[in-house]
Amino acid sequence: MTPGLAPGRDGSSSRQPSRPAPRRGSHSQLDFPLLRNGVDYLISVIEHLHEDAGGGPRQVKYAVLHLQAAAEVLLKARLRSEHWTLVFIDPGQASLKKYQEHDFESCGTDAAVARLQRIAGIAISDKEARALKALARDRNALQHYGLTHSAAAVEARAATVLDFLVNFIDKHLLPSLSDEEHDELRREMREVHEGLTSIHAYVTERMNRLRATVLKDKPQAVLTCDDCQQDALLLGPVEGEDSGKWGPLKGQCHFCGGVYNATDLAAVFQLEADVPVNECPQCHADTLACVVFVGDDEDVEHCFTCDATYSADELDNCVGCGSYWPYEGDDDGTAQTLCESCREQIRIEEMA
C-alpha cells in the first residue's frame, strides 16, 4: 500500500461518490494532508543529500527510500483526485470498503505514470519515466542488498526525479488547493527548491569540469550513462582496471565511476532500444546495439567489441538468417542481402 495513501472526502460514503467541485484548478479536490506528507518526504531527501550530511551510504539509502515514497504519494495523490479507483492495482476490482479501511494493494509507479498519461492527460517524458523506474529499482536494491551504485550516480538520478516532482507539484497539485493551503505548501516547498538548486549546482559543476578535460574532443565516443543519466560514459580501454568478467572493460563513466565490458554495454543500450542484441557483421560478437552518441541526433548501430559503427542505411537484414549485414542491394546482381554464412551455405548446397 502506498505510504500515506488514505481515503479522504471523496471516499467517505457507502456509494460511489460524485466528484466535488474543483477549487483553484480544473480537476477534483486534493487531499491536503497527503500532499504535505509527500512534501515532507522531499524535505527529508534534501536533508540526506545535503553536503553537510556527509553523502555516506546511510544518507544515500534514506534519500532513495524517502524519494520513492514521495514519488508514490504525490503521483497517486493526483491519480486519486481523478478517481479513487485508479490507485488500486486493478481498478476493475476496486472496493470502496477496502479503500476506506486502507486495506488494498495500490498500483506501482509504472502503472501510476501510465494512468496519469492516458487518463489524466499529464505529459511525462520518457526520460522522466525512466528516472522514476530507475528510482524504484534503486529502492528495491537498497532494501534487499544495500547500496549497489555509487553515491554520485544515485544523487544524479535523484536530482532528475526531484526536479520532476517539484514541477509536478507546481503544475498539477498546487493549482487545486485553496489559497490558504496553496500558500502553506508553497512555504514548505522553499526548502525543497533551495536544496534542489544546490544538487543541480554540484552536477553542473562536475559535468562542466569533465567536458573541459577527459571528455573534451571525443566525437563518437561519449554516451549517456545508464546508471547516473549523465553524458559522461566514455568508450575505449579503461586504464588501470582489470578485465571484466566477460572480457576487457570497454567503457567508463567519469561522473559516477561505473566501468563496463562490451557485453554489459550492448545489453544496456539494446534494452533501451527494446530490440534484441545483434551480431556484429565485422567481428561476429553479439555486442552490436543501437545508440545515439552525445552531440548527435541520429541512431547508429555500434559494436562495443570492435568499435565498428554503421548508419541505419548501411545495414540490412540477411534474408537467410535475419542477422544484420552490410546492405548489398543490386551490386552483385541480386536485390537481396545475404550474410557470409548464408552465402557459403547456399554455395555448399549448390555444389552438392
Side-chain angles (χ1 to χ4, degrees):
M1 184 171 167
T2 303
L5 188 62
R9 286 173 234 161
D10 58 355
S12 58
S13 67
S14 59
R15 59 182 176 81
Q16 181 170 315
S18 59
R19 296 183 182 179
R23 288 188 270 187
R24 291 171 61 97
S26 60
H27 54 76
S28 302
Q29 177 180 324
L30 290 162
D31 189 324
F32 184 60
L34 191 62
L35 299 190
R36 291 192 62 184
N37 191 31
V39 172
D40 188 56
Y41 277 126
L42 291 182
I43 293 173
S44 175
V45 172
I46 294 297
E47 291 172 348
H48 283 98
L49 288 180
H50 194 278
E51 58 183 2
D52 292 342
R58 187 174 186 275
Q59 285 74 30
V60 173
K61 176 178 75 173
Y62 284 105
V64 169
L65 294 178
H66 290 176
L67 184 58
Q68 175 65 15
E72 291 187 7
V73 168
L74 295 171
L75 292 175
K76 293 174 189 178
R78 177 61 183 87
L79 197 61
R80 176 180 177 273
S81 76
E82 200 70 21
H83 198 276
W84 60 268
T85 59
L86 295 176
V87 297
F88 278 70
I89 190 170
D90 181 359
Q93 299 298 316
S95 160
L96 183 59
K97 181 175 183 295
K98 287 183 177 294
Y99 181 76
Q100 291 173 324
E101 294 175 351
H102 314 179
D103 181 24
F104 66 94
E105 184 178 0
S106 65
C107 63
T109 304
D110 288 354
V113 168
R115 292 172 189 179
L116 287 170
Q117 290 172 320
R118 293 197 315 265
I119 300 172
I122 293 176
I124 300 175
S125 71
D126 290 343
K127 180 180 180 180
E128 292 164 342
R130 287 197 301 270
L132 287 164
K133 183 177 290 189
L135 174 66
R137 289 200 305 265
D138 283 342
R139 189 273 307 271
N140 293 337
L142 279 166
Q143 285 184 325
H144 298 289
Y145 308 110
L147 189 64
T148 58
H149 295 297
S150 73
V154 174
E155 185 172 354
R157 280 212 295 255
T160 301
V161 176
L162 271 169
D163 190 48
F164 164 74
L165 290 177
V166 167
N167 287 325
F168 186 83
I169 290 171
D170 288 342
K171 291 181 180 179
H172 305 295
L173 299 179
L174 281 174
S176 294
L177 299 177
S178 68
D179 290 339
E180 181 181 352
E181 292 171 344
H182 181 278
D183 293 342
E184 183 178 343
L185 201 67
R186 179 65 78 182
R187 285 194 296 271
E188 294 182 7
M189 283 295 294
R190 285 185 190 140
E191 187 174 347
V192 178
H193 279 281
E194 291 171 1
L196 182 58
T197 299
S198 68
I199 294 172
H200 275 311
Y202 158 73
V203 173
T204 301
E205 180 181 358
R206 183 171 175 82
M207 283 303 303
N208 285 341
R209 185 168 63 252
L210 291 174
R211 293 189 191 102
T213 54
V214 67
L215 302 179
K216 187 177 181 180
D217 300 325
K218 296 291 192 306
Q220 297 292 297
V222 181
L223 296 168
T224 303
C225 175
D226 187 61
D227 283 337
C228 66
Q229 294 298 304
Q230 299 302 309
D231 297 336
L233 176 56
L234 181 62
L235 300 183
V238 180
E239 297 181 3
E241 295 283 351
D242 295 330
S243 294
K245 183 176 181 181
W246 302 113
L249 294 171
K250 300 288 291 185
Q252 178 178 15
C253 177
H254 290 271
F255 184 91
C256 68
V259 292
Y260 311 92
N261 59 43
T263 303
D264 293 335
L265 288 167
V268 166
F269 284 95
Q270 205 64 1
L271 178 64
E272 190 72 27
D274 198 28
V275 291
V277 172
N278 291 292
E279 179 181 316
C280 173
Q282 185 164 308
C283 70
H284 302 291
D286 289 331
T287 54
L288 188 73
C290 179
V291 303
V292 179
F293 286 102
V294 172
D296 286 349
D297 296 325
E298 300 295 328
D299 292 353
V300 295
E301 294 291 335
H302 179 81
C303 177
F304 290 104
T305 297
C306 70
D307 292 325
T309 300
Y310 302 90
S311 63
D313 58 358
E314 289 181 306
L315 293 177
D316 195 9
N317 293 105
C318 170
V319 295
C321 64
S323 63
Y324 272 153
W325 193 253
Y327 178 73
E328 295 176 345
D330 293 316
D331 293 343
D332 61 349
T334 176
Q336 297 178 327
T337 297
L338 283 170
C339 71
E340 191 176 69
S341 297
C342 289
R343 191 180 298 279
E344 179 63 16
Q345 182 62 34
I346 291 173
R347 189 187 69 80
I348 293 172
E349 291 175 357
E350 288 177 344
M351 292 177 61

